[in-house]
Amino acid sequence: METEWTTKIVETAEKNQGPFFDYLRLQSVSTQKRMIPETANYVKQLIESFGGEAKLLEDLGGHPIVYGFFKAGQNGNAEKTLLFYNHYDVQPEDPLNEWKTEPFEPTIKDDILYCRGVSDNKANFMSRLNAIQILSESEDGLPCNIKFLVEGEEEIGSPTIDLYLEKYADLFAADACIWEAGSKDNEERFTIDAGIKGIAYFDAWVDSAEVDIHSSKGAVVNNAAWRLTHALSSLRNADHQVTIDGFYELMTPPTELEQSFVEKIPFNGEKLKENYGLKQPLITEKTTWSPQAALILYPTMTISGMLSGYTGPGSKTVLPRRAQAKIDVRLVPGMDPEDVYDVIRRHWDAQGFSDIELKLITGEKAFRTDLTDPFVQTVLESARKVYGEDIVLNPNSPGTGPMHGFGEYLSVPILGSGTGWAKSGAHAPNENVRLQDFYQGIEHMIILLKDFGEKE
Ligand SMILES: [Zn+2]
């Protein structure tokens, strides 16, 4: 679809392809600490070369965070500031043999750009810089102030970002925030997330003896595998309802407006079954809430792994002395990971499972933008101008990210917009972005910034 911006966008994107590809070539794999300082410096220089101010923040440890600033143009609204959040780190590129191109060599084939990190999250960052350049060169200049926070630890769970957000809350102060990413779904509908779920991740284990024991003693001796199984099964019933006292009470109940957006989210259960070769019915066939509500508005209770006893070939008749499990709980707003620990602990103690050990190993709170905030309408309206009427807004995504600190320390509404599509393959081999989506992403940022600058 041609618009008034199309020619300028393609022209600008092509002109900036060199620096974009150099950025993609930097192998900024955070979990392996590869090329992190180089990439942080490159991002800083990139912001400067587009006319912004930039600096590195690294006084609180962790990988450097890049701060960037672009001042509103002469006819712009200097009273308003939009913050862009992006990350420069990427996931490891393996399995190498599944790549059809060199993982870190940007390659365009059939109007699709392949490279590790292109969809998650380097193209989004570049689409924003391209939009800034186009607006800066336009008659009115930049419509508002723009800040960037580009971090290098997103792919390892952003362990230090909250420290920086707390200390540098004034530096990053803004009226609203556009999150790192967004994409089109299976049916090409543009999707916007206005929040994220949180997570509480636990180790659970029990010891039933000091040694493994001959299983003939199973007549009188209980074992760790049974013990843990019983404790775990007390957490969720056969209808998939969590049966921990006080668990659902931790949730902030969703508003009617949030529910109305959730009802409009498309969901194709058959497709899901087919994609994963599911051999069990969907658990929402038994819950009183819909799959959409389950994904967005309700917490999960998942056993992510179990280990006990002998599982090799043939038989070994043994009473295992130890059993271990990993428990993963996706949280909705209102649920503090520590409180989730407390309700599980209390539940197990009350049910006679005081011997089961429980340890919270990671926790992150959820965040949901207030959907009555005018910024929500600004983002939706600007997106409709680019992507058409059929847009999906998730009050929060079913996944987790470091959004809560932005809400807490900066008090901003946060929505995502990005250049991905259903087959972008983030974290997977042959990660890619379609050039057409990249151009649309630039256009969305142009229109959004203009609309945002104009609003009171
Ligand atoms: Zn990622």
Side-chain angles (χ1 to χ4, degrees), residues 215-269:
S215 77
S216 61
K217 302 278 192 306
V220 287
V221 175
N222 199 1
N223 78 57
W226 270 120
R227 191 69 190 145
L228 186 62
T229 307
H230 285 135
L232 291 173
S233 70
S234 77
L235 300 178
R236 195 172 107 173
N237 66 21
D239 289 340
H240 313 297
Q241 307 271 351
V242 176
T243 44
I244 302 165
D245 241 358
F247 180 78
Y248 290 118
E249 284 74 12
L250 295 173
M251 298 167 53
T252 306
T255 65
E256 270 176 41
L257 183 60
E258 287 164 355
Q259 283 170 333
S260 74
F261 274 107
V262 169
E263 276 162 27
K264 284 182 241 155
I265 297 170
F267 179 81
N268 187 336

Side-chain angles (χ1 to χ4, degrees), residues 87 89-91 119-121 154-156 180 426-427 431:
H87 60 90
D89 62 327
V90 304
Q91 287 278 329
S119 85
D120 184 13
N121 165 256
E154 197 274 344
E155 301 294 5
I156 50 169
E180 50 149 342
H427 297 204
E431 181 175 354

